[in-house]
């Protein structure tokens, strides 16, 4: 699947000559990008559309060609390294501390230890998720930044009831807006985030199968693009990575859960 071409659709072509840009290109795209940034902008992170387009183009062939596990891991690390070189301290990462979250957290921590990890605590997470989060934070040395809604769960329920149980889609969207979307927007603003690493995979849902590897900001009020280094990974790749690096599993895996979000919406597969 041509993940990167979708992200370039509708963008203006760069005035920079591709032949001159690619003249130093080697298999390790990250080394090239770092060299290009150093030569053209004095080594300072460059976050305009031009560097995004150039970086995405460099990884297009590599991601599409990565069919075995080791090459997928190598390309994912290259993408994370490129993002760090390009965005500097404006690079962040999001996590839910869900069943598969440890993979991207470990990958990123191998490349760049200080990336701020945004964790949106809805106030309704299972006890096991809070325990798992603290364990991974210590195990991987994560720079976790916890964000919550300005409205406490008790306050919200007093005013609106249990919105997640409503049959009205507008009320369910209000729940997501209050507990997830607004805290994330605040995190982006306070951390001055220009790019966020996200662990979504194309084979998880129909919607995700259409995602580009680099997704531009959702609206004109946002400055944060999303980067999906593991978009071409399979569930088998995730499992292999857990075993290879002896990563701790979420406690609810042993109870038959195949996904975990808020406690009121998560159930074991056999339930």
């Amino acid at each position: 699947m041509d993940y990167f071409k979708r992200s370039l659709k509708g963008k203006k072509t760069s005035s920079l000559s591709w032949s001159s840009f690619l003249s130093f290109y080697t298999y390790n795209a990250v080394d090239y990008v770092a060299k290009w940034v150093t030569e053209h902008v004095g080594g300072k992170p460059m976050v305009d559309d031009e560097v995004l387009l150039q970086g995405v183009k460099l990884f297009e062939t590599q991601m599409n060609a990565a069919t075995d596990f080791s090459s997928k891991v190598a390309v994912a690390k290259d993408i994370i390294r490129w993002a760090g070189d390009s965005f500097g301290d404006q690079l962040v990462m999001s996590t839910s501390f869900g069943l598969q979250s440890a993979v991207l957290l470990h990958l990123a921590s191998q490349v760049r230890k200080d990336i701020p990890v945004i964790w949106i605590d809805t106030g309704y997470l299972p006890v096991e998720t809070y325990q798992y989060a603290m364990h991974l934070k210590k195990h991987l040395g994560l720079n976790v930044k916890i964000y919550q809604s300005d409205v406490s769960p008790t306050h919200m329920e007093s005013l609106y009831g249990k919105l997640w149980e409503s049959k009205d889609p507008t009320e369910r969207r209000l729940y997501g807006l209050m507990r997830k979307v607004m805290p994330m927007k605040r995190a982006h603003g306070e951390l001055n985030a220009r790019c966020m690493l996200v662990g979504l995979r194309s084979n998880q849902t129909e919607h995700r199968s259409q995602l580009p590897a680099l997704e531009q900001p959702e609206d004109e009020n946002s400055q944060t693009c999303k980067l999906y280094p593991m978009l071409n990974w399979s569930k088998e790749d995730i499992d292999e990575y857990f075993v290879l690096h002896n990563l701790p599993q979420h406690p609810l895996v042993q109870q038959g859960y195949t996904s975990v979000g808020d406690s009121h919406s998560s159930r074991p597969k056999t339930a």
Side-chain angles (χ1 to χ4, degrees):
M1 183 180 293
D2 196 345
Y3 300 104
F4 285 108
K5 283 183 179 178
R6 290 198 298 273
S7 69
L8 298 176
K9 187 177 180 181
K11 291 289 182 181
K12 295 180 180 179
T13 56
S14 172
S15 60
L16 180 66
S17 166
W18 274 111
S19 59
S20 63
F21 183 83
L22 296 175
S23 61
F24 296 109
Y25 180 76
T26 63
Y27 177 76
N28 189 336
V30 172
D31 288 345
Y32 176 75
V33 171
K35 182 175 181 178
W36 188 88
V37 169
T38 298
E39 291 178 349
H40 289 75
V41 292
K44 297 179 181 179
M46 183 177 178
V47 293
D48 61 16
D49 283 347
E50 184 173 281
V51 80
L52 291 180
L53 292 172
Q54 309 292 19
V56 167
K57 185 68 177 180
L58 285 172
F59 288 113
E60 179 180 0
T61 302
Q62 288 191 353
M63 179 172 268
N64 292 331
T67 57
D68 63 276
F69 174 72
S70 60
S71 62
K72 290 178 184 178
V73 172
V75 170
K77 285 185 175 180
D78 280 354
I79 292 173
I80 295 169
R81 191 173 294 111
W82 168 80
D85 291 340
S86 299
F87 294 95
D89 60 8
Q90 293 180 308
L91 175 67
V92 300
M93 176 167 42
S94 71
T95 187
S96 65
F97 286 108
L99 303 189
Q100 301 174 5
S101 297
V103 175
L104 181 59
L105 291 170
H106 182 269
L107 266 173
S109 69
Q110 297 298 296
V111 176
R112 193 181 180 100
K113 275 284 187 183
D114 60 345
I115 301 176
V117 178
I118 300 172
W119 178 29
I120 304 302
D121 176 10
T122 64
Y124 290 97
L125 301 175
V127 171
E128 292 85 352
T129 295
Y130 292 106
Q131 296 170 340
Y132 187 54
M134 295 304 99
H135 180 59
L136 279 183
K137 178 182 178 182
K138 181 177 180 181
H139 183 71
L140 300 176
L142 302 174
N143 179 21
V144 176
K145 306 292 185 182
I146 302 174
Y147 282 84
Q148 300 171 310
S149 172
D150 291 334
V151 181
S152 72
T154 302
H155 190 176
M156 183 193 74
E157 290 183 39
S158 297
L159 295 176
Y160 307 106
K162 297 180 178 180
L163 290 171
W164 65 88
E165 294 181 348
S166 176
K167 295 181 180 180
D168 184 346
T170 300
E171 292 188 351
R172 293 198 299 273
R173 285 195 294 271
L174 177 60
Y175 175 82
L177 182 68
M178 293 174 63
R179 310 236 64 84
K180 302 174 184 179
V181 176
M182 296 309 296
M184 182 62 79
K185 286 185 177 295
R186 190 169 72 252
H188 288 171
E190 291 182 4
L191 298 173
N192 194 26
R194 293 300 304 276
C195 183
M196 182 169 70
L197 302 175
V198 184
L200 299 186
R201 307 196 323 275
S202 63
N203 63 0
Q204 290 176 313
T205 66
E206 177 62 28
H207 169 70
R208 293 176 184 181
S209 70
Q210 302 303 312
L211 288 174
L214 179 70
E215 188 176 18
Q216 296 298 319
E218 297 174 355
D219 56 64
E220 60 183 12
N221 297 319
S222 173
Q223 66 169 359
T224 310
C225 62
K226 296 177 183 178
L227 186 60
Y228 306 112
M230 298 162 48
L231 197 62
N232 61 335
W233 286 39
S234 67
K235 175 61 166 59
E236 291 71 27
D237 295 326
I238 297 294
D239 293 341
E240 185 171 349
Y241 195 93
F242 262 97
V243 173
L244 179 64
H245 295 282
N246 194 29
L247 295 177
Q249 294 274 8
H250 193 294
L252 292 178
V253 170
Q254 297 302 318
Q255 298 184 35
Y257 285 72
T258 56
S259 65
V260 174
D262 288 333
S263 57
H264 50 71
S265 60
S266 302
R267 297 288 184 275
K269 190 174 182 180
T270 55

